[in-house]
Amino acid sequence: MKISRLVSCFTKNKNKDLFCHKYWAWAQNQGAVRQTNNESVSLHGYLNGINHHFINSPYPKTMDETFYQTKMTPRQMISVTDFDFKELKPTTEKLNVFRCISKKPEFFSEYPLYQKRCAIKKGDIIDMKEYAYATPDINYARGYLGDSKGIFYEIEIPPKARVSRTAKEVVFPRSSKFECVNVKKVKDAENDYIHVKLRYILPDETWRIMA
């Protein structure tokens, strides 16, 4: 029942934020949102397979086609995952993670977004539309930098964050916001990337205390 209600909501609000404070407060009062001891969302390992729908989706009809790895449609996966994030056990201490984006060729559909990210300045607020993956393992992250060209994100996550975490990875809720606290260019004989330090902005969850 939870999934069908959420899928219906998603369908009717394609051009709006899916879950407003009023909806989440209602869901909480109905007992649909509860605090758990889970540290990761149920579909943690599969969300990278649908992230293209948030960045560039040339085939929007596939939102309602079954994703073979989960036997759910991307729309259902989003609905389930958004609920899971709201129920996660919050972090109790500051975390530091890393995320690398390899350089995108001009003919890639992601190129305009890549260029926009490369122009980031201290104080800017960026919105990562997808379920963004990161890792506490800097060497693991560097593996995604390709030929050492691109963007190297160093992200500080404050306490009380509801992010999906395993021993190897951290996944942020979709449309998470980050403040840029520093940017520097790293260029030498072996590297040519932008080192960007971000601070994760905790979402406004005042709906949790709404009657």
Side-chain angles (χ1 to χ4, degrees):
M1 185 173 181
K2 180 193 295 187
I3 293 177
S4 61
R5 181 183 293 275
L6 289 169
V7 172
S8 175
C9 180
F10 189 87
T11 303
K12 295 176 182 178
N13 295 276
K14 290 181 180 179
N15 299 317
K16 301 179 181 179
D17 291 337
L18 175 56
F19 298 118
C20 63
H21 278 46
K22 184 176 181 180
Y23 178 79
W24 280 116
W26 172 85
Q28 179 178 234
N29 291 335
Q30 294 296 313
V33 177
R34 64 193 186 284
Q35 175 67 58
T36 70
N37 286 320
N38 296 334
E39 294 188 348
S40 62
V41 297
S42 57
L43 298 173
H44 179 107
Y46 301 101
L47 299 174
N48 59 330
I50 62 170
N51 271 339
H52 63 282
H53 286 293
F54 303 107
I55 301 171
N56 177 59
S57 185
Y59 308 107
K61 290 184 179 180
T62 61
M63 282 289 288
D64 296 305
E65 295 178 0
T66 301
F67 185 66
Y68 73 96
Q69 290 180 299
T70 63
K71 308 307 179 186
M72 302 167 66
T73 68
R75 203 179 300 279
Q76 289 174 320
M77 291 172 65
I78 292 167
S79 299
V80 170
T81 300
D82 284 353
F83 247 101
D84 282 354
F85 268 112
K86 293 294 186 289
E87 297 182 332
L88 288 180
K89 178 181 179 180
T91 58
T92 57
E93 59 186 10
K94 183 178 72 174
L95 302 176
N96 289 290
V97 296
F98 308 93
R99 170 178 169 83
C100 290
I101 306 295
S102 61
K103 184 177 180 179
K104 306 299 181 187
E106 292 186 22
F107 58 85
F108 270 38
S109 58
E110 299 95 334
Y111 183 73
L113 177 60
Y114 174 77
Q115 286 291 88
K116 181 179 180 180
R117 292 286 187 256
C118 285
I120 192 171
K121 302 183 299 297
K122 183 178 179 180
D124 285 351
I125 304 296
I126 64 172
D127 181 351
M128 293 189 184
K129 299 294 185 184
E130 73 274 29
Y131 294 108
Y133 281 74
T135 175
D137 185 338
I138 189 171
N139 292 320
Y140 181 38
R142 283 185 179 278
Y144 288 88
L145 200 55
D147 54 359
S148 296
K149 296 181 180 180
I151 305 173
F152 183 97
Y153 290 116
E154 183 177 343
I155 307 172
E156 175 186 316
I157 305 174
K160 300 183 180 180
R162 296 178 193 272
V163 293
S164 183
R165 52 206 187 276
T166 64
K168 198 74 171 179
E169 295 176 329
V170 167
V171 177
F172 294 92
R174 65 190 179 95
S175 291
S176 285
K177 292 180 172 56
F178 304 82
E179 178 187 2
C180 177
V181 296
N182 194 37
V183 183
K184 68 178 181 179
K185 179 72 174 179
V186 177
K187 188 171 184 178
D188 53 36
E190 298 180 352
N191 301 286
D192 185 9
Y193 63 85
I194 299 172
H195 186 169
V196 181
K197 288 189 176 182
L198 300 176
R199 181 179 296 118
Y200 175 56
I201 299 174
L202 296 177
D204 179 2
E205 294 192 327
T206 52
W207 56 268
R208 291 186 184 276
I209 58 175
M210 293 172 65

